[in-house]
Amino acid sequence: MPDAAIDAATAQIGRVQSGEVPSPVVCTFFDEATNTASHVVHCPITKRAAILDSVLDYDAAAGRTSNGSAQAIVDYVRREGLSVDWQLETHAHADHLSAAPWLQEQLGGKLGIGANIVRVQNVFGKIFNAGTRFARDGSQFDHLFQDGETFSIGDLPVTVLHVPGHTPADMAFVIGNCAFVGDTIFMPDFGTARADFPGGDARQLFQSIRRLLSLPEETRLFLCHDYKAPDREDYAWLTTVALERAHNIHVHDGVSEDDFVAMRTTRDATLAMPKLLMPSVQVNMRGGHMPEPEADGISYIKIPVNRL
């Protein structure tokens, strides 16, 4: 079937390859505590920038947050003389808290996420019994992206792709000739994301991944996580469409949708919940903000017993 958004992204990548528009500059910050890769991407001509999937440090035992990981991003942005237009989230993460609100205070930029965040808010609003004060309309974010939406970061063209399966709201941002794909896919030797969270769907995930892998083979894929596959010593977060199609252990060319779904379903049944799921989702579904303070002025993270 025709896919206008993929066609737009492919044409955009061709413009970079031909030199018509600049190639993005990307700097990655890897948080080993949560295995998260946050990216700063900027236009080399205008110095306009976006920050993707930032991390707020969180000590679960003490219930305390800190900004060390995010401060490293602030230092880089200021050192390079960048102007931040966007704080982008590929999805509502279940393994780390977002630092986007704090980064907005330091650097500015609009906070954007996929429009289907409202589905995530509805599901997890019930799970965490968030009450009527918790808005389930995405209003905690400055912009809700639709599939195929386009915009610019300086002279860099951007095409947004809806890639559900890991969660209903996952988005990939194709910026110049780079695609920031969130948790849809990992390094070829590690495979793909889980699809067993509420609202996840292994069949959708396969279709989303194959959609991403229909981009030009030279497209650079920047990942949100790496867990170091067996026999690999270093963390990695950059691959290409060609490498994934040839070598991804879960979804390389030739793997059928049914085989993938069977593999993913079996594998997901063996996985423990992410250790920071409870605080992460409660914060990230609110755009990175803590739950509303209670009568004593303190915010509290809820732990639903025997619910998940």
Side-chain angles (χ1 to χ4, degrees):
M1 294 178 61
D3 190 327
I6 289 293
D7 290 345
T10 298
Q12 167 186 308
I13 292 164
R15 293 172 63 198
V16 177
Q17 299 303 105
S18 69
E20 182 182 346
V21 297
S23 182
V25 177
V26 182
C27 183
T28 299
F29 298 80
F30 190 77
D31 178 57
E32 191 168 348
T34 61
N35 296 94
T36 302
S38 304
H39 310 285
V40 180
V41 56
H42 78 266
C43 171
I45 296 173
T46 65
K47 298 287 190 177
R48 311 304 300 189
I51 299 169
L52 293 103
D53 295 333
S54 60
V55 174
L56 180 71
D57 299 323
Y58 181 70
D59 180 345
R64 302 194 68 86
T65 63
S66 57
N67 301 312
S69 296
Q71 184 64 53
I73 291 176
V74 171
D75 293 344
Y76 169 78
V77 166
R78 290 175 174 165
R79 186 168 64 247
E80 296 298 315
L82 307 180
S83 298
V84 175
D85 292 337
W86 287 97
Q87 307 280 346
L88 299 175
E89 301 287 358
T90 55
H91 63 294
H93 310 275
D95 39 33
H96 70 271
L97 282 65
S98 170
W102 186 81
L103 286 169
Q104 284 184 297
E105 292 176 1
Q106 307 302 311
L107 300 170
K110 293 185 291 185
L111 176 58
I113 199 168
N116 277 301
I117 186 63
V118 297
R119 290 184 57 191
V120 175
Q121 290 176 329
N122 273 296
V123 169
F124 281 98
K126 294 175 182 175
I127 288 174
F128 291 112
N129 196 29
T132 57
R133 289 196 300 171
F134 171 53
R136 294 160 169 83
D137 58 1
S139 57
Q140 300 87 348
F141 300 85
D142 298 312
H143 188 80
L144 303 182
F145 287 102
Q146 302 287 343
D147 183 58
E149 191 169 341
T150 60
F151 64 102
S152 297
I153 300 169
D155 291 342
L156 300 176
V158 185
T159 302
V160 185
L161 303 175
H162 183 214
V163 286
H166 175 62
T167 81
D170 283 65
M171 306 299 283
F173 295 90
V174 184
I175 303 176
N177 61 348
C178 303
F180 297 84
V181 299
D183 286 11
T184 54
I185 198 167
F186 298 140
M187 292 299 291
D189 57 0
F190 200 86
T192 56
R194 65 195 298 166
D196 61 332
F197 294 145
D201 185 286
R203 199 166 296 278
Q204 273 193 335
L205 180 61
F206 178 87
Q207 295 165 2
S208 293
I209 291 171
R210 295 312 305 181
R211 190 182 189 211
L212 286 170
L213 297 186
S214 70
L215 291 169
E217 290 192 343
E218 65 271 18
T219 306
R220 293 183 287 167
L221 304 180
F222 286 86
L223 315 180
C224 187
H225 292 288
D226 186 56
Y227 302 95
K228 285 199 297 189
D231 302 321
R232 176 155 56 84
E233 294 184 358
D234 298 320
Y235 290 108
W237 47 79
L238 173 59
T239 180
T240 66
V241 166
L243 287 171
E244 294 288 348
R245 291 185 62 169
H247 302 296
N248 188 285
I249 59 172
H250 293 167
V251 73
H252 58 78
D253 287 355
V255 174
S256 73
E257 182 173 322
D258 286 343
D259 286 345
F260 174 82
V261 170
M263 177 282 301
R264 191 69 264 170
T265 303
T266 300
R267 181 177 174 82
D268 288 350
T270 70
L271 300 178
M273 281 291 178
K275 61 183 179 181
L276 292 183
L277 181 143
M278 298 295 183
S280 295
V281 174
Q282 288 179 75
V283 169
N284 296 337
M285 70 182 186
R286 292 175 164 88
H289 294 281
M290 295 295 160
E292 287 283 338
E294 298 193 7
D296 60 359
I298 303 297
S299 294
Y300 290 86
I301 298 292
K302 293 182 178 180
I303 306 295
V305 178
N306 299 325
R307 180 66 173 84
L308 292 174

